[in-house]
Amino acid sequence: MTTVDDEAERLAARFEQDRGHLRAVAYRMLGSLSEADDAVQETWLRLSRTETRDVANLTAWLTTVVARVCLNLLRSRERRREDPLDDRPLAAGGDPEQEAVLADAVGVALLAVLDTLAPAERLAFVLHDMFAVPFEDIGTMIDRSPTAARQLASRARRRVKGAAVPAAADDPGQARRRHVVSAYLAATRTGDFAALISLLHPDVVLHADAPAVPTARPVVIQGAQPVAKSAMAATSRAQFTGVALINGLPGLAMLRHGRLFLVLTFTVTDGLITEIDVIGDPARLAALDLAVPEA
């Protein structure tokens, strides 16, 4: 005869089989490992309080629950989007190294673009395009028809791919610019000062708006050595930064607590960076067209 304890152990063991899947869904929905783990834990609590003997597909049921938990978190985040991000460590509540590895594995640029989507768009795109959840099920989660869910995913997909800048599409220097920007990120991540200097024009100018720096006013830095030193101070942040298309051109997008935090745009002339614009103002960030570069 099955006891209550036996049933609880069976349910816990069954949940553990799906924990990795649920965490993957939650992380792509939220972009934050600590929040994803919280969402998975909330899913377990709901499972433990629910009679599921008649559930034919428990994995699908759990996916629905974790998606709805994440959707509520995203909607809450949307309501306070203009609030400044606090000064907690970038991976508060978790292992920064693990968070950075996971962000790289999923794609920082993708996570940054996903953060610009409306919550329902993000859910539809993540569940359908990344986890093959049918639109019928997605529509039920968000109280929309399957057709509406399909349209949300399609709109999100266009945002992820980006609206290409006509001049950039045929620009033979596009690949070179991307190489320079990627090299800048690599040098910053590893703290390679010499490599960074080799990418900068001697008279390079860096502009940073006030929200991007810990000052009350915008900052302007000129010269390869000073700009390289400022980049070295952001090595830890670089672990949560990825190459993205910014208005059709290669740039860098940085995450903080799963949200788009900063964007760096670059002017590259004759293979050297001549200007860097660091954007942290929410209104300026919202006006940018971010997209994921083609592999």
Side-chain angles (χ1 to χ4, degrees):
M1 182 168 125
T2 303
T3 67
V4 173
D5 287 343
D6 289 340
E7 178 60 19
E9 288 183 9
R10 183 197 69 78
L11 202 60
R14 179 63 181 79
F15 181 80
E16 287 304 315
Q17 293 178 20
D18 280 321
R19 180 181 290 276
H21 165 73
L22 297 174
R23 196 187 200 209
V25 171
Y27 182 72
R28 286 154 181 78
M29 284 285 294
L30 299 169
S32 164
L33 189 54
S34 59
E35 286 186 315
D37 285 339
D38 287 345
V40 172
Q41 182 61 23
E42 175 62 24
T43 302
W44 160 248
L45 292 175
R46 295 190 186 190
L47 174 63
S48 66
R49 297 192 297 259
T50 305
E51 175 55 60
T52 57
R53 289 181 182 273
D54 295 330
V55 175
N57 187 336
L58 190 59
T59 297
W61 186 90
L62 290 169
T63 301
T64 297
V65 172
V66 78
R68 284 175 169 162
V69 170
C70 292
L71 184 62
N72 289 336
L73 288 171
L74 287 174
R75 285 171 171 165
S76 174
R77 182 188 292 179
E78 189 77 5
R79 288 192 292 271
R80 50 188 171 81
R81 179 167 288 277
E82 298 304 317
D83 295 346
L85 293 172
D86 58 40
D87 292 326
R88 289 176 295 155
L90 285 171
D95 179 346
E97 183 175 345
Q98 182 185 17
E99 181 105 26
V101 169
L102 187 54
D104 263 349
V106 174
V108 174
L110 175 59
L111 293 172
V113 176
L114 291 178
D115 184 53
T116 68
L117 303 178
E121 289 177 341
R122 185 166 184 167
L123 181 144
F125 176 81
V126 167
L127 292 186
H128 181 267
D129 284 42
M130 297 184 176
F131 295 97
V133 176
F135 286 119
E136 289 77 7
D137 295 345
I138 294 172
T140 300
M141 295 179 201
I142 56 178
D143 298 321
R144 306 277 186 94
S145 68
T147 299
R150 183 187 300 274
Q151 290 171 343
L152 286 171
S154 178
R155 191 157 63 231
R157 199 175 301 118
R158 289 195 298 270
R159 291 281 298 278
V160 169
K161 292 182 178 180
V165 175
D170 300 322
D171 187 347
Q174 179 84 321
R176 177 57 180 165
R177 275 194 291 270
R178 181 170 173 181
H179 172 78
V180 170
V181 171
S182 298
Y184 178 95
L185 176 59
T188 305
R189 282 186 169 187
T190 59
D192 191 337
F193 189 82
L196 198 55
I197 288 289
S198 72
L199 298 168
L200 301 174
H201 188 279
D203 297 321
V204 61
V205 179
L206 181 146
H207 301 268
D209 60 22
V213 290
T215 65
R217 62 184 63 184
V219 167
V220 177
I221 302 173
Q222 185 166 6
Q225 291 274 344
V227 169
K229 287 179 180 177
S230 72
M232 291 297 97
T235 297
S236 61
R237 289 182 176 182
Q239 308 309 315
F240 297 89
T241 302
V243 177
L245 293 181
I246 316 296
N247 292 340
L249 296 173
L252 296 177
M254 181 185 300
L255 298 174
R256 187 176 182 88
H257 311 316
R259 294 165 58 182
L260 179 63
F261 177 50
L262 291 178
V263 159
L264 282 72
T265 65
F266 297 82
T267 301
V268 178
T269 304
D270 296 330
L272 293 177
I273 298 169
T274 56
E275 188 172 353
I276 304 172
D277 191 11
V278 185
I279 303 170
D281 180 78
R284 293 184 68 198
L285 290 174
L288 298 173
D289 174 33
L290 270 68
V292 179
E294 293 184 3

